[in-house]
Amino acid sequence: MTDAQILAESILQALATGILIGAIYGLMCVGLAMIFGIMRVINFAQGDFMMLGMYAAYYLLVTFGVQALFGTVAGPYIAVAVAGPLLFAFGYGVHRLLIRQVTGIRTAEMEAEGHYAQLILTLGIALVLQNGAMILFGAQLISVRTPLTGDAWMLPLGEVMAVFFNKARVVAAVISGAIILALWLVITRSRLGKSLRAAADNPEASTYMGIDVDRAHRTAFALGTAVTAVAGGLLATNYPFHPFVGLEYVIIMYAGVVLGGIGSIIGAFWGGMAIGLVQQLSILVLPTQLQNATIFVFFLLIVILRPQGFFGRLTERT
């Protein structure tokens, strides 16, 4: 192979890997967008909800017999699917007990519309979840392994070049795309979606129209928690994790949401996709340790050139 062919193959491989990883990043960003866009809550615990999704999938697979029932190939993805409803219930309970006190109409008379209280509360939840997980699960690295993790499909490109698609990442990307499509249909076509959008646009007016804003916010929070937990479970089929893994991804989630345009579910997905592509392409010229630095340089460029994000709209100030 010539140097040009090697470079072309490396770029194509990075693009393929970036798209597959970006799809998972997009799903976790959509989970945050459900909360940030609808409730306007800055949730520092979102990465730790993802971490709980990873551990839920792992223990469902290993301890509760999902792998024995469904096998080593389908078992991990069944465990991830079951982890989603479990974290939905967890998020529903967290909102009912804690988050509802600093969101919705209750924040009208609070300083900075309750954002200071939200920051402190969600940071406290994050610390409790991180240290609680450390006590319960330990600090060792674990993963939701599947035979697909170490296998790949090869796409020949001519006589000497080829691009490899990791099977576990392909399955995770397809599942992520299906969940995004289902969420988009729910948000845009269903009665539940209309109530969520109304509660996001104007909570007070929605209350006068008979919409239970508190319930809408609770549903949005639970959905966002579940979606991010599923994304975490899919990520765990490729990467090991530990109780503090959420810290590594929560900034990526916020970057993806802002890149896509605050309030846009589809935009958050494409924001996460863009981050995955930039992250993988940066490996071609920079050390792995500088991946996150590259992401934030790209983030700053987009904020400067298009501050409303990919799918957001500029608002006029009066």
Side-chain angles (χ1 to χ4, degrees):
M1 292 179 64
T2 65
D3 291 342
Q5 288 174 324
I6 293 174
L7 177 61
E9 185 180 56
S10 298
I11 292 173
L12 291 173
Q13 184 63 63
L15 286 171
T17 304
I19 289 172
L20 297 179
I21 294 177
I24 306 175
Y25 285 177
L27 185 62
M28 67 172 68
C29 290
V30 166
L32 179 61
M34 292 288 297
I35 296 172
F36 194 36
I38 293 175
M39 298 177 58
R40 303 293 190 267
V41 171
I42 302 173
N43 181 18
F44 276 127
Q46 192 72 10
D48 300 292
F49 292 151
M50 186 192 77
M51 175 269 294
L52 290 182
M54 290 174 161
Y55 276 104
Y58 174 80
Y59 282 104
L60 283 168
L61 182 69
V62 175
T63 306
F64 291 92
V66 171
Q67 182 168 283
L69 286 173
F70 298 99
T72 56
V73 176
Y77 300 102
I78 299 296
V80 171
V82 176
L86 291 177
L87 268 294
F88 179 94
F90 180 80
Y92 198 91
V94 168
H95 184 280
R96 189 178 186 87
L97 293 174
L98 299 171
I99 303 297
R100 68 189 294 262
Q101 307 299 331
V102 293
T103 59
I105 299 175
R106 295 177 183 82
T107 63
E109 298 180 357
M110 297 177 69
E111 187 175 359
E113 296 184 345
H115 291 308
Y116 295 155
Q118 292 164 11
L119 287 171
I120 294 171
L121 177 60
T122 57
L123 181 59
I125 293 172
L127 292 173
V128 169
L129 293 179
Q130 290 166 15
N131 290 280
M134 176 69 76
I135 295 170
L136 290 175
F137 308 130
Q140 68 273 16
L141 289 172
I142 57 177
S143 61
V144 182
R145 302 296 292 178
T146 165
L148 301 180
T149 303
D151 203 357
W153 286 296
M154 183 181 73
L155 177 64
L157 300 172
E159 296 181 357
V160 293
M161 293 192 300
V163 174
F164 294 89
F165 295 87
N166 180 273
K167 292 183 178 180
R169 289 175 181 167
V170 170
V171 172
V174 171
I175 293 173
S176 298
I179 294 174
I180 295 298
L181 178 60
L183 270 177
W184 179 78
L185 290 173
V186 168
I187 295 297
T188 59
R189 305 296 173 84
S190 70
R191 185 179 181 86
L192 172 62
K194 290 180 181 179
S195 67
L196 292 177
R197 285 185 282 125
D201 290 338
N202 194 321
E204 188 173 356
S206 299
T207 301
Y208 294 140
M209 296 300 294
I211 296 174
D212 189 339
V213 173
D214 192 48
R215 184 176 181 180
H217 282 181
R218 192 175 303 131
T219 302
F221 192 88
L223 271 175
T225 301
V227 168
T228 299
V230 170
L234 294 174
L235 199 65
T237 62
N238 289 279
Y239 299 102
F241 57 93
H242 52 80
F244 295 94
V245 71
L247 294 173
E248 301 173 17
Y249 291 102
V250 70
I251 303 301
I252 291 177
M253 292 183 205
Y254 274 104
V257 170
V258 175
L259 284 176
I262 296 174
S264 173
I265 301 298
I266 297 300
F269 175 76
W270 288 113
M273 182 71 76
I275 288 174
L277 286 168
V278 170
Q279 188 182 68
Q280 293 302 311
L281 288 171
S282 69
I283 298 176
L284 298 175
V285 294
L286 294 172
T288 305
Q289 295 87 340
L290 295 179
Q291 277 185 343
N292 286 341
T294 308
I295 290 171
F296 291 117
V297 170
F298 173 73
F299 173 76
L300 290 174
L301 287 174
I302 296 298
V303 168
I304 292 170
L305 298 174
R306 187 175 172 82
Q308 71 270 35
F310 297 146
F311 291 83
R313 296 180 181 178
L314 285 173
T315 57
E316 297 182 358
R317 294 184 178 180
T318 58

